[in-house]
Amino acid sequence: MGVSRNLACLFLLVLLVIFANGDDPYRFYSWNVTYGDIYPLGVKQQGILINGQFPGPQIESVTNDNLIINVYNSLDEPFLISWNGVQQRRNSWQDGVYGTNCPIPPGKNFTYVLQVKDQIGSYFYFPSLAFHKAAGGYGGFKIASRSVIPVPFPPPAGDFTILAGDWYKRNHTDLKAILDGGSDLPFPDGLIINGRGSNGFTFPVDQGKTYRFRISNVGLTTSINFRIQGHKMLLVEVEGTHTLQNAYSSLDIHLGQTYSVLVTADQPPQDYYIVVSTRFSSQVLSTTSILHYSNSASSVSGPPPGGPTTQIDWSLEQARSLRRNLTASGPRPNPQGSYHYGMVNTTRTIRLQNSAPVINGKQRYAVNSVSFIPVDTPLKLADYFKISGVFSLGSIPDNPTGSGGYLQTSVMAADFRGFAEVVFENPEDTLQSWHIDGHNFFVVGMDGGQWSAASRSNYNLRDTISRCTVQVYPKSWTAIYMPLDNVGMWNVRSENWPRQYLGQQFYLRVYSPANSWRDEYPIPSNALLCGRAIR
């Protein structure tokens, strides 16, 4: 590990020249990724640990910090970590998905060098290769505001991260084999909170004080509902956007999404259930943790409070109630509402429709009929080195084709500084969750039925939420406005991990002809090379 630390120091010196961010602090992390025995649902299985921990270590950062994260791969297979919602401004080289990075070989290390440029909020990291996400390897990622930037609520007495989601008792290798064999996964075996099953985790609070909970759905297949017995939750932030501070009894959190709430310990002194349950599933799974008052007079008793189950309209109305706090500052000292997204003319409309075709006798998933297949060389490297035959621009259409599914390494071209209207169309009976790397976008509308140009008349063009992951309800559509303001090769994917693994993803190549460091950083000096990029 001493060699790895020396490498990290060397890369830092290089970056001091490249980035010239002398005023922005550096934070150093050294992670060793191993397999280890875990028991999330009471059954021994092989998990992915980071420094011996599941979930992995929390990343604590402040806007504009430079993070030097040295990852040593002690697994017996290649490995990558990606950063869900961290935008990697001008720097898709650090995104940590196979379309941009060569995997870290077994027994080797790679040092991620990333800056949380002009961001605040709550996110998480996760392993992006080989269905590793089903084995753990994820953790929380917090970006605090700089001290000179006012935050629209008093400092809480404590700050808790909740990483919740569905879980399988089978090892990730067995789940991957099911998908590789052409079948879909069975229903999950249970839910976990911070790596543990029911009542396996306790959150201590003092009566009368207010606490911040950052809640992420890090599961594989299922939306969840989150609630705290007897307590209201004041929503304050969604994936980097300060919100109007509406109070909720429970929150739907879809795959890949993160919400930040304030909870005041204003109830009689005892213990209360924190509950997570599945949404839109015929079988309802649930799990609990404990909110423990320091002066508690009694432990939890009776059944945990129930929540919504299959009601779509209820969830849709809640989603529409999310509003941007137009008077709050974001990462910079100016109101978030000063960017009038509704007054910008869109330069392009892209309609993306999910489907579940069977191709060559195997279950696949597709976007506009294209089911993505990886190739031997990361697309970003092929683009940089001008390696022909790896991918072609335009290999995925801008609109649904209505045709059957086919396999393709799909890459969509986009112009830097464009402003796109993207409509996600979901003709299926299952809820979809979409994520776009490298960008935040404005969720301008969502509704049931078929989208048409007339749907624009009901868009929210004033104060909608800005985020990086959005749901699309069954037989419904969701429309977003997205500034194409980040040059690079960016993954657009389903957050339903079997769907992502079996092709419901593609890459968006945001291109600037200027070829300037002002638009995109150069290839890192420590970039790993693989496939046809090895010369």
Side-chain angles (χ1 to χ4, degrees), residues 16 89 102 106 149 152 180 197 202 208 305 331 370 460 497 500 507:
L16 286 173
R89 305 297 303 175
C102 293
I149 306 296
D180 289 341
T202 298
V370 188
N460 177 354
W497 220 240
Q500 178 271 351
Y507 282 82

Side-chain angles (χ1 to χ4, degrees), residues 311-527:
Q311 304 92 329
I312 292 174
D313 289 346
W314 183 94
S315 187
L316 176 61
E317 287 307 309
Q318 182 178 90
R320 287 172 171 164
S321 73
L322 304 182
R323 291 288 188 269
R324 191 179 183 90
N325 185 338
L326 298 179
T327 62
S329 292
R332 297 177 178 177
N334 59 292
Q336 295 182 120
S338 63
Y339 179 55
H340 299 291
Y341 67 93
M343 300 175 66
V344 180
N345 291 326
T346 56
T347 56
R348 179 180 179 185
T349 295
I350 302 168
R351 294 167 52 211
L352 302 175
Q353 186 177 100
N354 49 273
S355 59
V358 173
I359 303 175
N360 299 328
K362 294 186 176 183
Q363 179 65 67
R364 297 288 300 184
Y365 296 98
V367 189
N368 288 358
S369 300
V370 188
S371 186
F372 182 88
I373 49 171
V375 282
D376 61 0
T377 307
L379 309 177
K380 182 63 182 170
L381 291 179
D383 200 25
Y384 178 80
F385 290 115
K386 296 180 172 54
I387 303 170
S388 61
V390 175
F391 73 90
S392 59
L393 294 175
S395 45
I396 178 172
D398 278 18
N399 296 284
T401 65
S403 63
Y406 59 96
L407 303 175
Q408 181 69 264
T409 304
S410 38
V411 180
M412 183 179 290
D415 294 329
F416 182 44
R417 296 201 176 100
F419 193 69
E421 174 190 41
V422 181
V423 183
F424 296 103
E425 301 179 1
N426 178 17
E428 298 184 69
D429 290 325
T430 56
L431 183 138
Q432 305 293 312
S433 186
W434 288 92
H435 176 88
I436 302 179
D437 279 353
H439 296 79
N440 263 31
F441 47 73
F442 300 91
V443 185
V444 295
M446 56 176 65
D447 207 349
Q450 179 68 42
W451 179 87
S452 69
S455 304
R456 296 179 177 129
S457 63
N458 293 318
Y459 283 1
N460 177 354
L461 299 181
R462 180 178 181 272
D463 65 347
T464 192
I465 202 73
S466 173
R467 63 188 315 170
C468 58
T469 310
V470 70
Q471 72 273 22
V472 191
Y473 292 98
K475 298 191 181 301
S476 300
W477 57 267
T478 294
I480 64 172
Y481 279 1
M482 186 172 76
L484 297 167
D485 57 358
N486 199 8
V487 172
M489 186 76 71
W490 302 108
N491 191 222
V492 181
R493 63 175 177 265
S494 171
E495 286 287 323
N496 180 303
W497 220 240
R499 283 181 168 259
Q500 178 271 351
Y501 182 79
L502 293 179
Q504 193 173 314
Q505 61 169 307
F506 67 94
Y507 282 82
L508 186 70
R509 179 185 183 255
V510 180
Y511 177 71
S512 168
N515 195 25
S516 166
W517 285 17
R518 290 174 299 177
D519 295 342
E520 184 177 29
Y521 292 142
I523 187 171
S525 59
N526 68 326

Side-chain angles (χ1 to χ4, degrees), residues 33-97:
V33 180
T34 62
Y35 284 127
D37 293 339
I38 57 174
Y39 303 80
L41 295 177
V43 174
K44 178 181 174 180
Q45 59 190 129
Q46 185 186 66
I48 292 178
L49 312 179
I50 299 179
N51 292 350
Q53 303 174 39
F54 169 58
Q58 176 98 349
I59 292 180
E60 305 271 356
S61 61
V62 177
T63 300
N64 294 343
D65 279 357
N66 297 283
L67 307 181
I68 315 297
I69 306 171
N70 181 42
V71 178
Y72 190 87
N73 178 15
S74 293
L75 306 182
D76 57 2
E77 57 184 324
F79 184 79
L80 275 177
I81 286 182
S82 190
W83 325 90
N84 209 73
V86 180
Q87 292 180 12
Q88 316 291 354
R89 305 297 303 175
R90 298 185 287 169
N91 202 15
S92 65
W93 303 108
Q94 308 293 335
D95 202 30
V97 291

